[in-house]
C-alpha cells in the first residue's frame, strides 16, 4: 500500500467487511512496515475492504473503500470461492482532510467541554471519523476524504461525559489535503429532573427504573435512598414513567407521574433548559406476579421455553406482550405486572412443542383471560404436547408456483384466525409454506396474496371461496399434515367513481369491500378523477364502504345499500357513489371523580343506527378533546374508551368503556343526532374504573381453599367492534386464604363458576349462588363499581 507520492504506508487499518456470510465480519489488521497485508482463512462469500488511518500510521491520508470509493455502497465487491486467492488489492491513498475546532457549553465564551464524542458521518451514513475532545475542549479529526459530512457532538458518551448538555449536529464540507479550522460548536444546556421513589408506606425503593418519554428515551434508576436524577434532557413536556426491572427487590406495578396507572391519565412534566425540575416523586403500588412450571406431556420440565403475558385482549393481534419470560428448568416468573386481566401464552416462539393459551386452550381464539391482583402471586402451570404442522404448495391455475402468498390458519369451529408468534402464519417462498407450533386439532387454511393490490382471490382449502364450505385439516401431535395445497385463480374486481355533493370527483376518498364469509377484503383510495379499482377479489358478495372525508371537505361516509356480487375473474364496474355533506361530533373525555383529569389517546367511536350509514372514530388529544368527522347525517351511538381501539396507548386502561351518556352498556346508551355541515358539541364522558367481583372460597370446614378456578362467564357478550371476537371469560385463582378478585370486568351480566384445575382438586364444579348448573346460576350485573361477597362453600 502506497501514498500518491509512492511512499509505502505502514499502520494503515485494513477493515474487512463480510457480505452474505456468517464469518469474516469486521476483521481489522494493520499493514506491515512494507505496506503489505494478507487476510487468510476466509470463508466463501462477498467482501468489501476499507482502508483508514489509525493503526499506527504516521501522516494524514484519506480513507477509501476498494476500489477508490468513498462509501461502502460504491465499493468494489470481492468474491471469494473455494481456495481462490485474490491478489493485487493495492490502493493508493491520497492526502486526508482535517476538521478541527473546540466545543464549549452555553455560549461562545462558555466553558470548554472535555470528553465530548465527535463523530464524522459521510455518504450513505458511513462512520468515517471519531475523536473525543481533550481536557481543553479541542478536537481534531484526520483521515477524511473530500466531501460533505455530518458532524455529531455527543456530550454523554465520552470518558468524562458532560451529560448536562445537549447533543448537536452540524454539516461540514472538506477538501482532500486541506484543514477546516475553527469549526467550533456551542452545546446548549439541557434540562434536568430529580425526585424520590418510595412504596405506599413512604419507604425508599432502590433500583426502580425511571424513564422520560422523550425522543431519546432518557432513563436511569433510583439510588438506595430512593432518589434519582437525570441531566441533559431536551427541554419540553414529557410523561415520566416508573417501573420495575432495574433490580428492585419486590414486584411493583408500573405507573406514570403523578401516581397514574397509564399514559391516558398521566400528568406531563415540563422541563426547562439549564434548570432542574425537582420533586417528581412516585409512591409505587405492589405489582402482580405470575409464575408456574411448564412441562411436556410426560412431565419433563421444559427449559428455554417462552411464556408471554399481554393486556391486549384481541386474540388476532400477535407478538404484543407486556412481559416475556423464558423458563429455567421449567420454571418461569413474571414480576412487576400491573393489576388487570392478561392473555397468557406458553411457547410464544419456536420449539418442538405446541403453543398453549390460558386456561389450557389450544389457540388464541378460545383463550381465557387471567385475572392478576396487586401484591398477589398467581401460579399457572402448563403441560404442552408435541407440536403439529401443516405444509403445502401454492400455485396458480397454470401450475406456476406462487411466492408472497399469505397462508393463515383459523379455528374450524368459530372461523376466527389464530395468531401466535411463530405459528398460524406463513408466507410462501418459491410456492412452498410451512406452519408449525400447532396443537392437535382441526383447522381451516386460507390462502391470500400478500399485496396491497393483489391479482389472485382469497381461497380456502380445498379451493373454496367461503370459510363455511372449507375442508378442515386435521393435525396430530408430532406429525405434519402435508399436501395442503392451494391453487389460486385470478380474482375479480370492483370499480367505480366517487363524487361529492357538486358532482366533482373526490381525490383520496377511501373505498373498502368486505365479504366476511370469504374473509376477502379490498381497500384503496380514489385518484384525482375520483376513480377506484379493487382487484384480486374472490367470488362472493361484498358490502361496500366509502368515506375518509376526502381532503378538507367534511363528507359523510356511507355503506352502499345491498351487496355487490363478484364472480372471479370478471370485473364489476360502475359501482359509483355520491357522498353527501357530513357532520362532526366533538367533546371532552376525562376521568371520573374529583378532580376530573383529561384523558389523552382515548378512543371515541361512533356507530350509525342506520345500517347504510358509516361510522368513524378519533383519539383524544393531550387535553382530552376530540372531533370525529366524516359522519353522514343520522342517529349514532357513541362508545368511549374501547380498549381494542386505543392504538396509541400502552397497556390496559384502568377506566372502563362507557356509552353516551354515562351508560355502562350499549342497550342503555343514549343516541345522538348528527346533521350535515354542523358539529354536534358537548358529547363528553367522564370514565369510571372497571368493575370487579371478589369473594372467598372455603371448604365445608370453613377453611380457605387455594387454587380454585373462579370464572366470570359473560352472558351474550357483544363482539369486539374491530376484531369481531366476543369478550372471553375471565378467571381468577384463589389465594392461600381462599380469596379471589376478578379484576377489570367490562360492564355487563355474568355468571360465576367455581371449578378445580388451578391448583386444587377433589371439589365438584358449582355456580354462584350454590347452583349446580349454569342454567340455574344467579346473574351478577357489573357496572363501574366493585361487587363483593360472591363467596362459595365448595362441595366434594
Amino acid at each position: 500500500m502506497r501514498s500518491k507520492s509512492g511512499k509505502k504506508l505502514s499502520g494503515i487499518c485494513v477493515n474487512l467487511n463480510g457480505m452474505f456470510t456468517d464469518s469474516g465480519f469486521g476483521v481489522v489488521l494493520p499493514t506491515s512496515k512494507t505496506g503489505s497485508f494478507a487476510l487468510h482463512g476466509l470463508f466463501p462469500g462477498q467482501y468489501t475492504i476499507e482502508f483508514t488511518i489509525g493503526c499506527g500510521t504516521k501522516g494524514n491520508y484519506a480513507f477509501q473503500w476498494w476500489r477508490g470509493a468513498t462509501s461502502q455502497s460504491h465499493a468494489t465487491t470481492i468474491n471469494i470461492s473455494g481456495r481462490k486467492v485474490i491478489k493485487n488489492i493495492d490502493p493508493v491513498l491520497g492526502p486526508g482532510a482535517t476538521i478541527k475546532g473546540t466545543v464549549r457549553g452555553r455560549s461562545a465564551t462558555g466553558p470548554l467541554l472535555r470528553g465530548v464524542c465527535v463523530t464524522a458521518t459521510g455518504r450513505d451514513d458511513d462512520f468515517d471519523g471519531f475523536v473525543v475532545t481533550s481536557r481543553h475542549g479541542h478536537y481534531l479529526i484526520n483521515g477524511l476524504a473530500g466531501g460533505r459530512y455530518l458532524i455529531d457532538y455527543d456530550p454523554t458518551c465520552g470518558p468524562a461525559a458532560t451529560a448536562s448538555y445537549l447533543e448537536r449536529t452540524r454539516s461540514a464540507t472538506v477538501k482532500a489535503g486541506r484543514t477546516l479550522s475553527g469549526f467550533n460548536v456551542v452545546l446548549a444546556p439541557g434540562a434536568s429532573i430529580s425526585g424520590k421513589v418510595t412504596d405506599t408506606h413512604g419507604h425508599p425503593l432502590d433500583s426502580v427504573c425511571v424513564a422520560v418519554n422523550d425522543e431519546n428515551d432518557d432513563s436511569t434508576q433510583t439510588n438506595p435512598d430512593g432518589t434519582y436524577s437525570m441531566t441533559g434532557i431536551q427541554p419540553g413536556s414529557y410523561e415520566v414513567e416508573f417501573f420495575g426491572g432495574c433490580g428492585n427487590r419486590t414486584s411493583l406495578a408500573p405507573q406514570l407521574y403523578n401516581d397514574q396507572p397509564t399514559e391516558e391519565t398521566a400528568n406531563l412534566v415540563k422541563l426547562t433548559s439549564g434548570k432542574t425540575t425537582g420533586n417528581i416523586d412516585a409512591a409505587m403500588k405492589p405489582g402482580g406476579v405470575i409464575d408456574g412450571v411448564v412441562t411436556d406431556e410426560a412431565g419433563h420440565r421444559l427449559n428455554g421455553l417462552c411464556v408471554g403475558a399481554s393486556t391486549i385482549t384481541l386474540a388476532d393481534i400477535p407478538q404484543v406482550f407486556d412481559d416475556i419470560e423464558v423458563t429455567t428448568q421449567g420454571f418461569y416468573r413474571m414480576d412487576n405486572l400491573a393489576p388487570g386481566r392478561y392473555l397468557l401464552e406458553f411457547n410464544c416462539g419456536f420449539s418442538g412443542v405446541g403453543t398453549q393459551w390460558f386456561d389450557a386452550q389450544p389457540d388464541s381464539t378460545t383463550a381465557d383471560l387471567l385475572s392478576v391482583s396487586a401484591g398477589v402471586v398467581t401460579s399457572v402451570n402448563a403441560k404442552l404436547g408435541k407440536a403439529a404442522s401443516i405444509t403445502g404448495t401454492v400455485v396458480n391455475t397454470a401450475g406456476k408456483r406462487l411466492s408472497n402468498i399469505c397462508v393463515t390458519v383459523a379455528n374450524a369451529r368459530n372461523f376466527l384466525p389464530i395468531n401466535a408468534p411463530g405459528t398460524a402464519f406463513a408466507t410462501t417462498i418459491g410456492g412452498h409454506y410451512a406452519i408449525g407450533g400447532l396443537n392437535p386439532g382441526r383447522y381451516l387454511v386460507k390462502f391470500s396474496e400478500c399485496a396491497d393490490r393483489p391479482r389472485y382471490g382469497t381461497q380456502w382449502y380445498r379451493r373454496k371461496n367461503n370459510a363455511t364450505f372449507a375442508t378442515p385439516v386435521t393435525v396430530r401431535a408430532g406429525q405434519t399434515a402435508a399436501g395442503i395445497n392451494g391453487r389460486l385463480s385470478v380474482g375479480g374486481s370492483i370499480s367505480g367513481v366517487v363524487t361529492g355533493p357538486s358532482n366533482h370527483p373526490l381525490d383520496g376518498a377511501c373505498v373498502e369491500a368486505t365479504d366476511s364469509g370469504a374473509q376477502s377484503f379490498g381497500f384503496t383510495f380514489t385518484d384525482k378523477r375520483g376513480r377506484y379499482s379493487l382487484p384480486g377479489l374472490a367470488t362472493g358478495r361484498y358490502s361496500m364502504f366509502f368515506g375518509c372525508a376526502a381532503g378538507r371537505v367534511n363528507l359523510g361516509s356511507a355503506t352502499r345499500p345491498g351487496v355487490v356480487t363478484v364472480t372471479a375473474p370478471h370485473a364489476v364496474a360502475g359501482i359509483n357513489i355520491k357522498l353527501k355533506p357530513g357532520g362532526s361530533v366533538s367533546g371532552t373525555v376525562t376521568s371520573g371523580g374529583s378532580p376530573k383529569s383529561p384523558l389523552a389517546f382515548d378512543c371515541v367511536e361512533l356507530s350509525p343506527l342506520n345500517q347504510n350509514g358509516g361510522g368513524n372514530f378519533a383519539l383524544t388529544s393531550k387535553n382530552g378533546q376530540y372531533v370525529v368527522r366524516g359522519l353522514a347525517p343520522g342517529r349514532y351511538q357513541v362508545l368511549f374508551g374501547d380498549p381494542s381501539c386505543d392504538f396509541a396507548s400502552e397497556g390496559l386502561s384502568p377506566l372502563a368503556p362507557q356509552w353516551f351518556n354515562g351508560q355502562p352498556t350499549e342497550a342503555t346508551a343514549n343516541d345522538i343526532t348528527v346533521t350535515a355541515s354542523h358539529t354536534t358539541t358537548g358529547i363528553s364522558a367522564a370514565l369510571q374504573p372497571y368493575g370487579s367481583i371478589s369473594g372467598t372460597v372455603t371448604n365445608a370446614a370453613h377453611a380457605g381453599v387455594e387454587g380454585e378456578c373462579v370464572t366470570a362467564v359473560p352472558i351474550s357478550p357483544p363482539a369486539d367492534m374491530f376484531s369481531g371476537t366476543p369478550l372471553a371469560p375471565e378467571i381468577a385463582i384463589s389465594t392461600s386464604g381462599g380469596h379471589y378478585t376478578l379484576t377489570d370486568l367490562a360492564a355487563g351480566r355474568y355468571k360465576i363458576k367455581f371449578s378445580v384445575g388451578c391448583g386444587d382438586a377433589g371439589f365438584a364444579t358449582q355456580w354462584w349462588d350454590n347452583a349446580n348448573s349454569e342454567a340455574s346460576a344467579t346473574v351478577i350485573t357489573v357496572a363501574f363499581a366493585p361487587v363483593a361477597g360472591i363467596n362459595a362453600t365448595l362441595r366434594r
Side-chain angles (χ1 to χ4, degrees), residues 392-444:
T393 304
V394 182
V395 300
N396 62 15
T397 53
K400 179 183 177 181
R401 293 182 175 180
L402 300 177
S403 296
N404 201 38
I405 301 299
C406 293
V407 186
T408 55
V409 169
N411 185 300
R413 291 178 296 171
N414 56 32
F415 301 160
L416 294 173
I418 68 173
N419 270 314
T423 66
F425 176 84
T427 304
T428 55
I429 300 176
H432 297 291
Y433 77 91
I435 294 176
L438 297 172
N439 283 299
R442 297 170 75 244
Y443 299 93
L444 304 181

Side-chain angles (χ1 to χ4, degrees), residues 218-231:
D218 289 299
S219 62
T220 187
Q221 65 186 60
T222 57
N223 301 310
D225 62 355
T227 60
Y228 73 92
S229 63
M230 277 184 278
T231 60

